[in-house]
Amino acid sequence: MTTDNFTGALPSDGTASLEDRILGGLDAEQREVASTLNGPLCVLAGAGTGKTRAITHRIAYGVHSGVYTPQRLLAVTFTARAAAEMRSRLRDLGAGNVQARTFHAAALRQLQFFWPQAVGGTLPNLLEHKAQMLAEAARRLRLSTDRASIRDLASEIEWAKVSMLTPANYLENAQGRGTPGGFDLTAVARVFQAYEDVKTDRNVIDFEDVLLITVGILQEDEKVAATVREQYRHFVVDEYQDVSPLQQRLLELWLGGRDELCVVGDASQTIYSFTGASPRHLLDFKARYPQANVVKLIRDYRSTPQVVKLANDLLAGRRSGGPAADAAWAKPLQLVAQRPAGPTPSFIECTDDEAEAATVTRKIQALLDAGTPASEVAILFRTNGQSEAYEQALAAAGIGYQLRGGERFFARKEVRDAILQLRAATRAATDEDAGPLGQLVRDIVASLGYTDSAPHSGGALRERWESLAALVALADELVQARGPQFGLPDFVNELQERSLAQHAPTVQGVTLASLHAAKGLEWDAVFLVGLSEGLMPISFADSPESVDEERRLLYVGITRAREHLSLSWSTARTPGGRANRKPSRFLDGLRPDSVASSQVRGKAAAPRRKAAAPVVCRVCGSMLSTGAERKVGRCNSCPPGYEEQTFEALRAWRRSVAVSADVPAFVVFTDATLTAIAEAKPSSLEELAGLAGVGPSKLEKYGEDVLRVLTESTAL
């Protein structure tokens, strides 16, 4: 059973009323969403509650009842795959002319149309990847970078741009952002500016520029803004908890003060704040639109009561988050399971990562043997680096898998060859070739290696077969959804659209994916692995807000499971290694009580190590929220505790060392570390080594010189 169980096109024989045909299969809350066609509408939709079903039926009902003109409604979501899925559902509901796009795709379409009249000339080329331009920007500044630092710098610049910051005001608004790519924020601001200069020199724009330039044109050109607002009268925004300030500004300009807006989201599934996403727009919707209708979808059609209870209990245990007065934050949606009871989620502790991968693989094999399709099984982890052990274990067991985020489905050679042959068959087709679409597709891809039975061997042969089998299965599914009139030309067009949107069909293999990549997906069986402190929450989650986001990330992982759910962790990284790992704090109160289980065996339970208390300011006692503050031991609002002459002497020494070594000053010591040294005034190498930011190599390289500078500055 899936969350959205609409399986066919609308009846068109005229025997049922419009309301029955479109609204008949919805529950009370979904029906309220679908029948509320005007005015601001906020839908708070929990995981698995059928939000896509509700909003697509709302659009279809509005179109068929004449309230909406299809070409004048814009539905916006956050991924090309989600937009393609929405368009597919709308076609099934007879509303195929409605525009369903991502923010970027909608803005790019408008930019391409209005650029000649608003700016003049030809729209610059779109830069798909920032790495090359960023590397050149760093070289111009004589900064040394590697792939990891370039990736981090790209993420930071993307965050800055969607937060509507420029190189000029980045520094003052980015305090507490750490050291992206290993660079201090001043260096990041310089790279940001250099990157913008390189783009200008090359006459290219990036994806964030598409939104920024569109916003600029709509703000400055009233004629263009009026044209856009005349074109689009109604708006629907899915995953509204993930909008950035820039996307929100674009939406406001599209609306132009009107309130024909429906937003759908769940603050408990906000997991992309590091990209600039904020649930604040969702949580403040009622304040911005006091007359708005608010509908809560809490009936979970996806997961068993056992899985739903675990998800609810996880959120009930949150100790941090947004402002306490914010009721929407304090009281997350409590899901109510609609499915029959299923197996109890399992909690598994393993001795090491290798043993954990082997245990998970054995459990997966048991599910496959019992009839669960491999495509309905997923292994989800916090970081992509965790996948290798599971790839090896599955391969050794002869179980096929697909790594989400690996080679894209439509980029695979066998898929490209199949589409070429299907297209050629369409051009050469005659009336004699007419027949069931599924069989036609099977006959065409048979020459590429497809057979009705999967090959017994693994490796490349099995992967090729799985890709072709996914195309065959998609043909069967589309005929069932669209009707027997859906033919080969329609199928080729569908594949072309899906290829552009990277909306891949289901491949028969266990899915390996990060928790972030799993958002929006679901499986019969989910294995959440590596749930130990340092990985969940991740070690660099060093504030209450970031820890709370990690909890929401685990919530997203749990709610991907329909029936079978396993949560596991290991006590050591390698076989025979020291068992110093602890299960994630998020599992406290969820996993079987350790004291009770120990008492059953007649043994005393070892107390769980108390989590380290937050570091507080030594001046005012408030909690320190950034790495820079913790290095110094003082919050930014409290006055420094060093003598100015000491700090300036250290800065002069650092500048001299940096010039001699031809490196940026922060490479020697960051400002935060220099401040900590000036305030602590260490008198020995041992005391200096105890300061954050002074590692063994820097102690050996600069330690004696630092002590000398401190001594000399004190004597002045």
Side-chain angles (χ1 to χ4, degrees):
M1 180 178 178
T2 61
T3 301
D4 297 318
N5 52 16
F6 182 80
T7 58
L10 290 171
S12 57
D13 58 5
T15 58
S17 69
L18 175 65
E19 185 170 335
D20 288 340
R21 286 190 289 136
I22 300 181
L23 307 183
L26 306 180
D27 67 31
E29 294 79 21
Q30 292 172 345
R31 190 184 182 99
E32 183 179 357
V33 171
S35 58
T36 304
L37 301 180
N38 293 110
L41 173 64
C42 180
V43 183
L44 300 177
T49 57
K51 66 180 179 64
T52 306
R53 176 177 172 81
I55 59 176
T56 52
H57 281 246
R58 176 182 186 267
I59 293 170
Y61 187 54
V63 168
H64 289 296
S65 62
V67 176
Y68 303 151
T69 301
Q71 296 82 0
R72 293 193 169 186
L73 186 147
L74 179 61
V76 186
T77 188
F78 280 80
T79 67
R81 187 185 188 283
E85 174 67 20
M86 189 177 292
R87 287 194 297 271
S88 178
R89 295 195 189 202
L90 289 170
R91 279 196 299 269
D92 293 344
L93 290 166
N97 291 330
V98 171
Q99 298 291 315
R101 301 181 180 277
T102 64
F103 269 102
H104 282 90
L108 180 59
R109 185 180 176 91
Q110 293 174 19
L111 193 58
Q112 289 168 333
F113 183 82
F114 290 113
W115 181 277
Q117 69 182 80
V119 180
T122 305
L123 180 69
N125 292 326
L126 184 61
L127 180 67
E128 293 194 11
H129 304 288
K130 293 182 173 66
Q132 186 175 353
M133 298 291 177
L134 273 171
E136 182 173 341
R139 284 195 298 271
R140 289 186 179 187
L141 299 173
R142 302 178 68 184
L143 297 178
S144 177
T145 58
D146 55 21
R147 288 183 63 183
S149 61
I150 289 292
R151 183 176 61 247
D152 290 347
L153 285 170
S155 296
E156 183 68 6
I157 288 173
E158 288 165 5
W159 169 83
K161 296 180 80 165
V162 302
S163 300
M164 295 192 289
L165 302 179
T166 66
N169 64 11
Y170 166 80
L171 192 58
E172 63 185 277
N173 290 282
Q175 297 305 310
R177 295 285 295 176
T179 54
F183 299 99
D184 65 20
L185 298 182
T186 300
V188 175
R190 293 173 60 214
V191 173
F192 188 0
Q193 182 61 65
Y195 167 71
E196 295 298 315
D197 293 340
V198 172
K199 287 198 290 110
T200 300
D201 293 344
R202 300 287 187 273
N203 192 35
V204 297
I205 58 175
D206 60 26
F207 282 99
E208 292 73 41
D209 291 331
V210 170
L211 299 181
L212 284 165
I213 297 171
T214 305
V215 164
I217 291 175
L218 291 174
Q219 286 180 157
E220 297 173 9
D221 194 320
E222 284 297 328
K223 186 175 181 181
V224 170
T227 302
V228 171
R229 292 164 191 161
E230 175 65 22
Q231 172 65 45
Y232 295 117
R233 301 294 185 85
H234 297 84
F235 296 86
V236 176
V237 183
D238 194 10
E239 303 290 0
Y240 192 56
Q241 77 278 352
D242 288 332
V243 295
S244 67
L246 178 56
Q247 290 165 331
Q248 176 64 21
R249 181 58 184 147
L250 178 60
L251 178 61
E252 291 168 353
L253 289 167
W254 283 341
L255 283 163
R258 297 168 295 172
D259 61 5
E260 287 300 335
L261 172 65
C262 169
V263 300
V264 189
D266 178 9
S268 296
Q269 296 187 68
T270 303
I271 59 173
Y272 294 110
S273 64
F274 61 92
T275 68
S278 171
R280 183 54 53 195
H281 308 296
L282 174 68
L283 299 175
D284 289 346
F285 191 84
K286 186 68 174 175
R288 293 200 310 277
Y289 299 99
Q291 75 279 27
N293 290 314
V294 178
V295 181
K296 293 183 179 181
L297 302 183
I298 60 172
R299 303 182 202 230
D300 187 313
Y301 296 96
R302 175 187 299 158
S303 305
T304 63
Q306 288 78 4
V307 173
V308 169
K309 181 180 185 304
L310 191 68
N312 286 337
D313 289 348
L314 174 69
L315 290 189
R318 52 198 305 195
R319 301 180 181 87
S320 59
D326 193 333
W329 273 108
K331 298 179 181 178
L333 294 172
Q334 287 288 300
L335 302 177
V336 179
Q338 304 297 300
R339 290 190 55 175
T344 301
S346 64
F347 295 83
I348 305 171
E349 181 171 281
C350 300
T351 56
D352 52 68
D353 290 352
E354 187 177 311
E356 186 178 2
T359 300
V360 168
T361 299
R362 285 195 297 271
K363 290 176 72 69
I364 289 174
Q365 186 64 67
L367 287 171
L368 300 182
D369 292 343
T372 301
S375 61
E376 289 296 345
V377 180
I379 301 174
L380 306 181
F381 32 75
R382 177 60 179 85
T383 67
N384 288 323
Q386 295 170 261
S387 72
E388 184 177 0
Y390 297 91
E391 292 180 58
Q392 293 176 352
L394 292 170
I399 299 174
Y401 65 87
Q402 58 172 331
L403 185 61
R404 189 166 182 83
E407 182 185 24
R408 292 182 173 182
F409 178 83
F410 288 102
R412 299 175 186 176
K413 184 179 185 302
E414 63 270 18
V415 175
R416 288 186 280 111
D417 289 344
I419 293 176
L420 286 174
Q421 292 208 16
L422 290 166
R423 187 177 291 119
T426 301
R427 291 194 297 267
T430 65
D431 291 340
E432 289 78 22
D433 296 321
L437 175 62
Q439 189 57 52
L440 283 175
V441 174
R442 285 172 171 81
D443 293 341
I444 292 167
V445 300
S447 63
L448 299 174
Y450 174 77
T451 58
D452 287 338
S453 299
H456 295 294
S457 60
L461 180 64
R462 178 62 181 249
E463 291 177 4
R464 184 183 304 113
W465 181 89
E466 287 174 345
S467 297
L468 299 175
L471 292 175
V472 170
L474 179 62
D476 292 338
E477 291 170 11
L478 290 172
V479 169
Q480 183 179 5
R482 311 276 172 83
Q485 73 280 1
F486 188 81
L488 190 57
D490 303 310
F491 184 56
V492 171
N493 290 336
E494 178 81 15
L495 291 176
Q496 177 66 22
E497 180 178 325
R498 284 173 173 252
S499 176
L500 292 173
Q502 291 302 322
H503 181 194
T506 301
V507 175
Q508 285 301 319
V510 173
T511 299
L512 300 177
S514 70
L515 287 164
H516 283 99
K519 179 75 167 65
L521 303 175
E522 58 187 81
W523 296 269
D524 284 347
V526 169
F527 293 82
L528 301 175
V529 301
L531 299 182
S532 58
E533 285 288 314
L535 285 171
M536 178 54 66
I538 199 73
S539 57
F540 52 76
D542 55 3
S543 68
E545 293 77 16
S546 58
V547 170
D548 197 50
E549 179 144 334
E550 293 287 299
R551 183 185 293 272
R552 296 196 298 271
L553 188 58
L554 181 57
Y555 173 80
V556 167
I558 289 173
T559 55
R560 299 310 95 194
R562 297 192 191 104
E563 185 172 4
H564 303 279
L565 178 63
S566 170
L567 304 93
S568 62
W569 63 94
S570 61
T571 57
R573 189 174 69 84
T574 57
R578 185 177 178 184
N580 56 2
R581 283 180 173 174
K582 302 294 183 183
S584 169
R585 72 189 77 171
F586 299 148
L587 303 183
D588 290 347
L590 303 183
R591 60 191 176 98
D593 189 272
S594 58
V595 174
S597 60
S598 297
Q599 289 174 343
V600 169
R601 295 192 301 268
K603 298 179 181 179
R608 179 181 173 88
R609 185 174 62 188
K610 185 179 180 180
V615 178
V616 297
C617 174
R618 65 170 179 267
V619 179
C620 67
S622 62
M623 192 173 72
L624 304 178
S625 60
T626 70
E629 288 180 342
R630 281 190 290 276
K631 274 188 178 181
V632 178
R634 169 180 50 78
C635 63
N636 289 330
S637 59
C638 287
Y642 59 75
E643 296 179 359
E644 192 65 31
Q645 64 187 36
T646 300
F647 185 68
E648 289 303 320
L650 286 169
R651 288 186 64 187
W653 165 81
R654 182 182 67 172
R655 184 164 53 249
S656 174
V657 172
V659 171
S660 298
D662 193 23
V663 297
F666 72 86
V667 172
V668 181
F669 283 120
T670 65
D671 284 350
T673 301
L674 217 61
T675 301
I677 294 172
E679 294 194 357
K681 295 182 181 178
S683 58
S684 66
L685 291 176
E686 289 76 13
E687 292 179 5
L688 181 60
L691 299 179
V694 184
S697 62
K698 291 190 176 183
L699 185 69
E700 181 180 354
K701 188 180 295 185
Y702 307 125
E704 295 291 352
D705 288 342
V706 168
L707 295 178
R708 175 183 54 78
V709 172
L710 289 171
T711 301
E712 292 175 353
S713 66
T714 304
L716 292 176

